[in-house]
Amino acid sequence: MTDLDVLRVFCGPDGTGGNALGVVRDGAAFPGTGDRAALAARLGFSETVFLDDAERGTVDIHTPGVRLPFAGHPLIGMAWLLRSLGRPPRTLRPDAGEVAVDFDGDLTWVRGRPEWVPARTTRRYATVAEVDALPAPPPGEGWLYAWAWQDETAGVVRARGFPRRGDGIAEDEATGAAAMLLTHELGRPLDIHQGAGSRILTRTYPDGTIAVGGRVCRVRPEGEPAGRWRRTVSPSAGRVSTGRHAGSVAAAFGAADEGRRRGGR
């Protein structure tokens, strides 16, 4: 059994929104790719990240169906968690390459290259209302990042993300990699309002790198007091234990993301 931390990444300033993330701090407890894929599928979050080397910042990122070389919200969540444990990293190392980490007040930033972003389509819509009216997911195949200007002068974007990869994630509440790609295409910093209440900030740099930043909140089951709450996962069974009961993630953490997985927002 090993610890599992569940976070919400890219929360709004008021603590709402954010994309759920599972963080396994002891990656050695899940040594095989198959074990990690099975746990990520069992958890059902858009991504689960494993820490393989705390000193070097080596991490491994999985969706419920595929392994990713780079993704923004797992890296921001991991950086924030390590900082909360008194070990703020300067870099993290997913498969894609070395990612610089920075902290600015309650914002956590990671900086990488747009070419690391897995293939996806960005599609501009004429109005925010058109983006809001899209079904989850829209018809079609392949990763779609739908967006419209909310305030072009100020760089404020309304966006929604649809993986459309058949793994049960109808809509991705907040997506750092897609935000990085859109920032690269537009060539300017952005303030992205995504999903039901998430907020993603981006910065551009002369060397072509892009930083993605956001706020992180810790998740706990409904009715539980604030503070540290014991969560463990079993590599052999892919189950979650809370110290009082064991079972599925839905039983352990409530149904916070159930609407999104069913196609809601």
Side-chain angles (χ1 to χ4, degrees):
M1 303 292 279
T2 189
D3 283 342
L4 170 71
D5 292 273
V6 182
L7 311 174
R8 287 185 294 116
V9 181
F10 297 125
C11 299
D14 59 355
T16 60
N19 198 1
L21 172 71
V23 182
V24 178
R25 285 182 275 143
D26 182 13
F30 292 82
T33 300
D35 294 332
R36 296 179 177 194
L39 178 64
R42 176 73 175 177
L43 292 174
F45 301 133
S46 58
E47 278 113 17
T48 298
V49 61
F50 300 81
L51 180 62
D52 287 325
D53 187 329
E55 293 300 318
R56 287 180 47 79
T58 307
V59 299
D60 188 27
I61 303 167
H62 289 255
T63 76
V66 298
R67 186 170 180 258
L68 296 178
F70 176 85
H73 110 274
L75 296 174
I76 286 178
M78 178 66 78
W80 179 92
L81 181 61
L82 291 175
R83 185 193 193 193
S84 75
L85 297 171
R87 297 179 291 171
R90 298 184 65 180
T91 58
L92 290 173
R93 291 178 172 83
D95 275 0
E98 185 173 287
V99 174
V101 176
D102 192 19
F103 302 96
D104 180 10
D106 63 347
L107 295 174
T108 300
W109 294 84
V110 297
R111 181 173 169 181
R113 309 203 67 86
E115 56 264 33
W116 293 347
V117 177
R120 58 196 62 192
T121 299
T122 61
R123 183 174 300 156
R124 180 179 176 179
Y125 288 78
T127 66
V128 168
E130 288 184 38
V131 174
D132 288 343
L134 290 171
E141 298 181 356
W143 224 112
L144 174 67
Y145 200 53
W147 70 278
W149 286 115
Q150 184 169 314
D151 183 338
E152 185 171 0
T153 301
V156 180
V157 165
R158 172 70 175 122
R160 293 173 66 192
F162 307 101
R164 298 193 300 193
R165 60 190 172 214
D167 60 3
I169 306 297
E171 179 168 357
D172 215 340
E173 169 64 25
T175 52
M180 178 179 287
L181 182 61
L182 183 62
T183 300
H184 172 67
E185 291 177 354
L186 297 177
R188 58 181 293 187
L190 298 174
D191 177 355
I192 299 173
H193 297 235
Q194 186 172 333
S198 300
R199 191 85 166 267
I200 306 170
L201 303 174
T202 66
R203 297 170 176 166
T204 59
Y205 293 87
D207 65 356
T209 59
I210 294 170
V212 179
R215 298 171 180 85
V216 181
C217 303
R218 192 183 291 276
V219 172
R220 66 179 186 274
E222 185 176 354
E224 291 291 329
R228 184 151 182 80
W229 191 76
R230 183 168 177 261
R231 314 160 181 86
T232 57
V233 286
S234 166
S236 60
R239 293 176 69 81
V240 176
S241 301
T242 69
R244 293 191 306 179
H245 65 275
S248 69
V249 169
F253 299 106
D257 285 330
E258 201 65 23
R260 174 183 55 79
R261 290 198 292 273
R262 290 176 179 173
R265 293 185 46 224

